[in-house]
Amino acid sequence: MDAALRDRFGVEGQWGVWREHTIRWAECDIYAHVNHAAYLTLFEDMRIDWWLGAGGAFGPDKPGPVVGSLEVKYHRPGHFRDDVLLCVRTASFRRTSFVHQYAMWRDGLLCSARALCVVIDNATGQKAEIPEAMRELMSERDGAVAEV
């Protein structure tokens, strides 16, 4: 992320993946505020982008991330037609799980979330190990910490 983009949206910290988004009416409530569920859908889109960009795949015979827990903080309201920046990064990882952090920025932080994701082998329903190349990407690009 370059300095101009960081300044434009008031972004703080290191983020592994980001994209610009304009808030649509379908993502708002009757007051033209971003609906609480829309934040989660946008963050889910970022989780999918992150997974695919990190070499993951989706399918009935492929391992993929499943959200085990989710915590959301609504800092300030977003509004219809706001230009925002959506961000995701991996904060930490273990053998079969990782913690993602999400943020929506517009003149500073609007919403943040933290999700514990477990990698599940969809063919068996069992936990699956995070591939080594993905673990390296988590560390190098996102600044994630390996936990024991």
Side-chain angles (χ1 to χ4, degrees):
M1 179 181 309
D2 65 24
L5 190 63
R6 185 177 295 283
D7 290 345
R8 181 174 158 212
F9 290 100
V11 176
E12 298 175 8
Q14 173 185 343
W15 294 91
V17 177
W18 60 89
R19 71 174 160 92
E20 293 184 51
H21 177 74
T22 300
I23 301 298
R24 301 173 305 137
W25 182 252
E27 296 164 336
C28 294
D29 62 20
I30 195 169
Y31 305 109
H33 298 128
V34 177
N35 181 282
H36 68 282
Y39 289 103
L40 302 182
T41 300
L42 291 167
F43 293 158
E44 178 180 47
D45 288 345
M46 294 303 293
R47 180 171 46 259
I48 301 310
D49 287 352
W50 187 97
W51 183 258
L52 294 173
F58 287 100
D61 60 340
K62 308 282 186 204
V66 174
V67 175
S69 65
L70 181 66
E71 175 185 349
V72 182
K73 293 183 182 178
Y74 303 98
H75 302 273
R76 298 181 299 129
H79 302 94
F80 175 57
R81 305 219 49 188
D82 277 352
D83 290 322
V84 298
L85 189 70
L86 302 167
C87 299
V88 61
R89 64 183 170 200
T90 309
S92 62
F93 60 90
R94 293 185 174 204
R95 189 177 61 81
T96 62
S97 65
F98 57 93
V99 173
H100 261 178
Q101 294 175 329
Y102 308 93
M104 180 187 286
W105 305 89
R106 183 215 69 220
D107 302 330
L109 188 60
L110 297 181
C111 183
S112 60
R114 180 179 179 91
L116 170 64
C117 299
V118 180
V119 180
I120 299 294
D121 181 334
N122 288 304
T124 66
Q126 300 298 311
K127 291 180 182 179
E129 287 194 29
I130 299 169
E132 184 58 34
M134 194 177 284
R135 294 165 62 92
E136 288 175 13
L137 183 65
M138 290 173 172
S139 294
E140 294 169 11
R141 184 188 65 194
D142 293 359
V145 175
E147 295 181 355
V148 178

